[in-house]
């Protein structure tokens, strides 16, 4: 009996139409998507389904809308959760759960730390909070952290040390572009 690890991504993994085939062919997946979108919809002033599964010719507009954190994060979380439920319905039970950034919330939800409804609310709130901060980004740089620190100035931060010669800077996009 192998040990499976479910890994859930964070924001930025979304696109209009993601998992459409699963929704159309897998009843367990569709059931959890429908349940999640029903929980999420009252919190919104737009039709989340129209962004997730846009009409033909509306894909570019939907993808643009999906760049907003309060839109993308709960949708990604619901897709991740529905996918986990599908795998588990097939008998693939995780021995461990992990996630990156927002994906940590999905992992906690699948583990039973919080309810599906509470997780959707938490992730939506997280997205709303991200919507309120200035647009920024991250940049992977092939330098040791101490070397990169010398280039960061007053507006950039060292966001991560991914290896001895691989670091990540974060901050305002225009400053990252200059770096």
């Amino acid at each position: 009996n192998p040990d499976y690890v479910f890994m859930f991504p964070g924001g930025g993994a979304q696109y209009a139409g993601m998992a459409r085939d699963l929704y159309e062919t897998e009843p367990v997946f569709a059931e959890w998507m429908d349940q999640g979108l029903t929980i999420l919809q009252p919190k919104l002033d737009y039709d989340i389904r129209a962004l997730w599964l846009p009409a033909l010719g509306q894909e570019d507009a939907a993808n643009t809308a999906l760049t907003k954190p309060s839109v993308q994060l709960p949708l990604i979380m619901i897709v991740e959760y529905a996918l986990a439920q599908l795998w588990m319905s097939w008998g693939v039970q995780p021995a461990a759960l992990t996630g990156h950034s927002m994906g940590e919330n999905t992992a906690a939800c699948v583990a039973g730390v919080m309810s599906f409804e509470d997780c959707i609310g938490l992730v939506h709130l997280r997205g709303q909070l991200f919507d309120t901060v200035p647009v920024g980004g991250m940049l992977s740089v092939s330098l040791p952290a101490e070397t990169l620190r010398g280039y960061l100035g007053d507006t950039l931060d060292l966001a991560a040390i991914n290896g001895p010669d691989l670091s990540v800077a974060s901050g305002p996009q225009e400053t990252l572009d200059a770096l």
Side-chain angles (χ1 to χ4, degrees):
N1 192 8
D3 289 333
Y4 295 102
V5 176
F6 288 10
M7 299 176 69
F8 302 99
Q14 78 289 336
Y15 58 92
M18 64 180 165
R20 180 189 299 265
D21 290 346
L22 287 175
Y23 185 73
E24 293 172 350
T25 61
E26 296 293 340
V28 170
F29 183 85
E31 176 186 334
W32 283 104
M33 284 301 303
D34 288 341
Q35 185 177 339
L37 295 175
T38 298
I39 293 166
L40 178 61
Q41 189 58 61
K43 301 174 186 324
L44 310 176
D45 61 359
Y46 55 88
D47 182 0
I48 187 64
R49 286 178 187 273
L51 297 178
W52 173 45
L53 300 176
L56 189 62
Q58 298 300 310
E59 297 87 356
D60 288 345
N63 279 321
T64 298
L66 286 170
T67 62
K68 188 174 180 181
S70 63
V71 178
Q72 71 172 259
L73 295 180
L75 183 57
I76 295 168
M77 180 264 150
I78 294 167
V79 169
E80 291 174 349
Y81 188 87
L83 186 57
Q85 294 303 316
L86 176 61
W87 278 84
M88 290 187 295
S89 78
W90 291 341
V92 179
Q93 298 299 318
L97 301 156
T98 188
H100 168 71
S101 189
M102 183 284 306
E104 295 170 342
N105 299 118
T106 309
C109 184
V110 172
V113 172
M114 69 182 102
S115 71
F116 187 45
E117 186 170 325
D118 287 346
C119 190
I120 291 168
L122 175 66
V123 170
H124 181 248
L125 176 60
R126 178 182 175 145
Q128 288 177 309
L129 293 172
F130 274 119
D131 288 350
T132 67
V133 298
V135 176
M138 296 195 302
L139 178 67
S140 181
V141 181
S142 297
L143 289 175
E146 287 309 313
T147 305
L148 178 58
R149 278 192 176 104
Y151 294 101
L152 296 178
D154 294 334
T155 59
L156 295 177
D157 293 300
L158 179 65
I161 302 170
N162 290 334
D165 293 320
L166 186 58
S167 304
V168 178
S170 67
Q173 191 60 54
E174 60 194 35
T175 311
L176 285 172
D177 291 346
L179 177 65

